[in-house]
Amino acid sequence: MSRRGAARPVRLGLAGMAFMGVLVGTLATPAGSQERPELRVTSVSSRPDAVSGGDALVRVDVPGSVSADKVRVLADGRDVTDGFEEAADGSLTGVVDGLDDGRNRLTASAPGAAGGRLTLVNHPVSGPVFSGPHEQPFVCDTEQFKTVTGDTLGKPLDKDCSVKTRIDYMYRTTGGEFAALPDKDERPADLATTTTSAGEEVPYIVRVETGTINRAIYETAVLHDPASGAPAPVTRGPGWNGRLVYGFGGGCSSGWYIQGRNTDGVMKDDYLSKGYSVASSTLNVFGNNCNDLLAAETMAMVKERYVETYGRPEFTVGIGCSGGSYQNHQIADNYPGLLDGILSGCSFPDVGFGTVQTISDARLLDHYFAQTAPDALTKEQQRAISGFGKWESIANLGDGGGRIDPTVFCPDQLPEAQRYHPEDNPDGARCDVYSHTVNAYGKDPKTGKARRPLDNTGIQYGLQALNKKTIDVDQFIDLNRNIGGFDDDAKPVAERTVADPKAVRTAYRTGRMLNGGAGLADVPIIDYRDYTDDAAGGDIHMRFHSFSTRARLDKANGTHANQVMITHDGRGFTTAGMLADMDAWLTGIKGDSGDGAPIDKIVRNKPADLTDACWTRGDDPKKITEPQVEGIDNTECNTIYPVWTSPRMVAGADVANDIVVCRKRPVDRSDYQVPVTDSQFAALKKIFRGGVCDWSKRGVGQQGLAGTWQSFGSG
């Protein structure tokens, strides 16, 4: 095990209080002592109800009238005072270890002061903390995972895929490469130096910690000279600039039942050379784990470990593209305090809806175009119905729609005998996004399968293409009569897909559908995109998804002033440059003692040159500064980088893509801007007996988030 912990599950209720770096425990003030100065005990490394691994970094604030060396700290009656150090401001900080699983009571006392106390709820280092029961089966990848030195981690120590924590030192050569430090007591002749963003010139030596937390393999990296001794959470070393960059990896397909063989990587010269520390884990790579809830829990636990080792960062920046953007958005919104700013690349608002609704529609369209009516429509007609910029994207996204099918994207590591098969192995592991998120959605008591918030009832596919006369009425009728839906195993059927109503409500209430009005409302966002809507073979990373997130921010908060959107074709800006912009933005916010809500501070501290923009194509890109809006050829940027749409937007939905089940109204001739005969209208009424989507109304079951830091169980 990388840290101490034996399983004894503790059930947590819904928690609406955000972890903002330090949380204050309950103060115990004995009767009659109200006028005495109080000691205050706080949890620094995590929320007090979300401690893991048997240890926590704790701070005791000591009144000026009390001598710090008179303070005594107990953990369930055990004296732990020796583990605390006095800071310049007279406070005491230390790691309290040896915590039992469950509730642990800390008390601080001193002569002449009212005592303080704090209850810490500790969970095993293997988890879970709040994501609910562990998914089974779970395949260990420690023997395939390559460390920064090229070694593997060897066989796991237990069923939770644990390994012994290891520390490696790497250095940057004067030739610009990373290499293993041969001897901690000697300096290689080709050792480079670097100057951090704080102006410190230090040997370019990186301390890399690798271990297992929450069944994931994690890595942390920070500039640290081993000659200075072990790092300490109270005293920051000169190599670390006080900022933590957390890397989130992309993917989704095959992202279940495995530990994973890669993190997002921590040996990143652009960040480390400036003094930024870097962290990531295998379960924060969506190619290994396509579950935002589990990703949030893992990130929280890894960050806790980091803080206990190095101290609390001034701020933490999340960086990730595609599947990394899902994590950035949903962790920031649902578990506020873990991320202070995010760089969200090739972004989507969330995995379950921003992406899945589009790729499942593409899967249905591809099936209709290729198999049901292969000769009924031209490629251009098909493209117009999809809304995509490239016809090839229909099949491309349709293939990606396999992530809703329990049999398509099982990972290679999962043995065939353990996989679901409807006849041969009905109790096997189902490889789909809903089964992977069953702790949130629950199971249908009739089928035993995960409830699905997936629906296409009432959708008039191709409506805009009809009204633009790209397709005719009979083609429109045939499409909507025969497009069908998915059965319980996501196989095409004649009937439209009907969502489980409980799953729909759960999606909104728990943040599986990104709300944008919780923690994300107070987080600076740089949304950056390497434009791929026109990729030759089609591509899932379409530009309209950035506007989906923007629309949800507007709906929830009345503004998107905390989001900057920039687009290029691979040239014009770098992630290192954006990180520097984010650093300046967050530094300004942190130092702003003025009045106003968080959004006011976000707005007035945004760097002047950090604005919505795009870069021209080619080898000498020029920046075009203008508000980024939806459309094609309506702005300079949209002439270079058109904002294409989706099948549901062609059917009348707005870009927010936040309606799972639409409200219905009767079919109306006014929907159609082309002549419709009586027989054609009768056919449409028969197809849409239950009505067509009224996109002007909130969706069925659509509601607000029930609170942040929600728990789905710790065991």
Side-chain angles (χ1 to χ4, degrees):
M1 302 285 282
S2 54
R3 285 191 292 162
R4 183 180 178 277
R8 189 176 77 202
V10 179
R11 181 73 186 181
L12 300 180
L14 295 183
M17 181 172 62
F19 162 49
M20 299 305 292
V22 176
L23 287 175
V24 181
T26 304
L27 301 180
T29 306
S33 64
Q34 288 84 354
E35 296 182 0
R36 291 197 296 165
E38 295 178 330
L39 300 173
R40 188 176 67 156
V41 187
T42 59
S43 175
V44 178
S45 51
S46 71
R47 289 170 54 93
D49 60 355
V51 175
S52 65
D55 49 18
L57 184 63
V58 174
R59 174 184 169 111
V60 180
D61 287 311
V62 182
S65 60
V66 176
S67 175
D69 61 8
K70 300 297 184 183
V71 175
R72 188 180 181 208
V73 184
L74 303 180
D76 284 334
R78 174 171 54 92
D79 196 322
V80 294
T81 310
D82 287 346
F84 284 76
E85 297 181 37
E86 184 177 358
D89 62 1
S91 64
L92 297 172
T93 303
V95 174
V96 177
D97 56 17
L99 299 175
D100 293 328
D101 289 332
R103 299 172 69 85
N104 296 260
R105 185 186 184 194
L106 302 187
T107 58
S109 61
R117 72 182 181 192
L118 176 67
T119 297
L120 301 175
V121 182
N122 179 57
H123 307 80
V125 70
S126 57
V129 176
F130 55 74
S131 69
H134 278 326
E135 182 178 65
Q136 298 294 344
F138 192 74
V139 180
C140 301
D141 281 318
T142 56
E143 292 182 90
Q144 289 77 35
F145 183 92
K146 292 292 184 68
T147 70
V148 292
T149 64
D151 299 332
T152 65
L153 294 174
K155 293 183 178 180
L157 301 177
D158 54 34
K159 63 180 178 60
D160 291 316
C161 305
S162 305
V163 297
K164 183 179 179 181
T165 302
R166 59 180 284 165
I167 307 299
D168 294 295
Y169 279 93
M170 304 291 288
Y171 77 100
R172 188 78 170 177
T173 70
T174 51
E177 303 290 336
F178 283 114
L181 189 68
D183 190 326
K184 290 191 294 184
D185 298 322
E186 296 183 11
R187 296 291 174 265
D190 62 345
L191 171 64
T193 61
T194 189
T195 301
T196 72
S197 63
E200 297 280 354
E201 184 177 358
V202 296
Y204 200 154
I205 302 175
V206 184
R207 182 184 189 270
V208 181
E209 180 175 310
T210 308
T212 45
I213 288 176
N214 205 25
R215 304 198 301 179
I217 300 167
Y218 74 93
E219 296 178 302
T220 61
V222 64
L223 285 176
H224 179 78
D225 189 342
S228 64
V234 179
T235 305
R236 182 187 301 167
W240 182 34
N241 68 3
R243 285 85 165 121
L244 172 61
V245 174
Y246 203 99
F248 298 107
C252 182
S253 303
S254 303
W256 20 76
Y257 306 111
I258 59 174
Q259 183 180 42
R261 299 174 181 178
N262 62 300
T263 72
D264 188 55
V266 294
M267 299 307 297
K268 300 192 175 185
D269 174 61
D270 284 347
Y271 308 154
L272 292 169
S273 63
K274 299 300 182 184
Y276 294 94
S277 54
V278 186
S280 187
S281 90
T282 55
L283 294 187
N284 288 119
V285 175
F286 259 31
N288 303 322
N289 160 53
C290 192
N291 178 339
D292 71 281
L293 179 61
L294 181 56
E297 177 179 73
T298 303
M299 190 253 165
M301 295 173 72
V302 172
K303 183 175 179 180
E304 176 192 5
R305 168 67 179 178
Y306 179 91
V307 174
E308 291 163 358
T309 304
Y310 297 105
R312 183 163 60 94
E314 296 292 331
F315 42 74
T316 302
V317 178
I319 296 182
C321 170
S322 189
S325 73
Y326 302 142
Q327 298 175 74
N328 260 330
H329 291 143
Q330 294 185 274
I331 292 173
D333 206 38
N334 298 328
Y335 295 90
L338 292 176
L339 294 170
D340 300 293
I342 62 175
L343 303 181
S344 187
C346 42
S347 72
F348 305 84
D350 51 46
V351 60
F353 304 93
T355 304
V356 164
Q357 292 188 155
T358 300
I359 61 177
S360 62
D361 285 339
R363 196 169 181 84
L364 288 175
L365 289 175
D366 188 46
H367 180 265
Y368 173 81
F369 296 150
Q371 299 186 43
T372 305
D375 301 317
L377 298 158
T378 67
K379 287 184 177 181
E380 176 53 27
Q381 288 175 321
Q382 294 175 15
R383 188 208 61 76
I385 291 167
S386 74
F388 305 149
K390 296 283 288 186
W391 172 80
E392 289 82 0
S393 289
I394 300 170
N396 181 288
L397 271 68
D399 288 344
R403 67 181 68 176
I404 70 171
D405 187 316
T407 64
V408 172
F409 286 131
C410 286
D412 293 339
Q413 297 98 306
L414 185 66
E416 191 78 30
Q418 295 185 29
R419 302 180 187 184
Y420 168 81
H421 187 279
E423 291 86 29
D424 299 340
N425 192 15
D427 296 324
R430 294 170 59 86
C431 303
D432 65 279
V433 290
Y434 305 116
S435 300
H436 193 44
T437 321
V438 70
N439 286 350
Y441 291 129
K443 293 183 178 181
D444 184 322
K446 295 180 180 178
T447 66
K449 300 172 183 177
R451 299 178 185 272
R452 293 188 312 181
L454 183 66
D455 195 282
N456 73 332
T457 58
I459 295 177
Q460 299 191 78
Y461 288 101
L463 179 61
Q464 186 182 87
L466 170 66
N467 288 332
K468 289 183 176 181
K469 300 182 180 180
T470 306
I471 61 174
D472 63 33
V473 178
D474 288 333
Q475 290 170 322
F476 176 74
I477 289 172
D478 190 75
L479 169 66
N480 283 283
R481 178 187 288 130
N482 294 306
I483 191 168
F486 297 108
D487 67 12
D488 288 344
D489 284 344
K491 299 298 187 283
V493 292
E495 298 79 22
R496 297 282 183 109
T497 308
V498 178
D500 183 293
K502 184 174 181 179
V504 173
R505 293 191 298 270
T506 296
Y508 290 113
R509 290 178 57 80
T510 69
R512 309 284 70 77
M513 162 82 77
L514 179 72
N515 179 277
L520 196 62
D522 299 332
V523 170
I525 305 165
I526 299 178
D527 183 296
Y528 65 97
R529 184 172 298 279
D530 185 358
Y531 189 77
T532 60
D533 285 45
D534 56 2
D539 193 88
I540 192 173
H541 304 98
M542 296 177 176
R543 192 173 174 220
F544 79 84
H545 290 293
S546 292
F547 292 96
S548 296
T549 303
R550 177 164 286 191
R552 296 193 199 178
L553 291 170
D554 285 333
K555 286 186 177 185
N557 311 311
T559 182
H560 59 261
N562 60 320
Q563 185 201 45
V564 173
M565 192 184 299
I566 53 180
T567 306
H568 69 164
D569 70 344
R571 290 159 288 195
F573 56 82
T574 64
T575 53
M578 289 185 293
L579 178 59
D581 288 336
M582 180 60 72
D583 192 326
W585 199 354
L586 291 170
T587 299
I589 294 168
K590 184 177 178 63
D592 189 340
S593 58
D595 296 331
I599 189 64
D600 299 317
K601 296 186 178 184
I602 288 172
V603 170
R604 65 177 176 245
N605 288 287
K606 183 168 62 175
D609 60 350
L610 183 57
T611 61
D612 275 13
C614 71
W615 273 256
T616 58
R617 295 178 185 263
D619 294 333
D620 186 25
K622 300 293 190 297
K623 184 178 181 180
I624 300 172
T625 300
E626 63 180 17
Q628 300 297 286
V629 297
E630 297 173 69
I632 298 171
D633 295 334
N634 57 331
T635 66
E636 283 191 76
C637 288
N638 290 353
T639 300
I640 304 170
Y641 304 113
V643 184
W644 298 97
T645 60
S646 71
R648 295 197 182 203
M649 292 169 70
V650 173
D654 69 23
V655 72
N657 203 9
D658 60 352
I659 291 177
V660 182
V661 182
C662 64
R663 298 280 178 183
K664 310 299 192 297
R665 59 166 175 75
V667 180
D668 193 316
R669 284 184 182 271
S670 65
D671 286 346
Y672 314 114
Q673 298 169 22
V674 295
V676 177
T677 67
D678 289 344
S679 62
Q680 288 171 331
F681 191 64
L684 288 168
K685 288 196 293 185
K686 184 177 181 180
I687 293 168
F688 295 108
R689 290 189 186 90
V692 296
C693 289
D694 184 347
W695 298 109
S696 68
K697 292 184 169 59
R698 288 171 63 86
V700 177
Q702 190 169 5
Q703 57 195 283
L705 190 66
T708 60
W709 283 90
Q710 294 183 37
S711 174
F712 298 82
S714 59

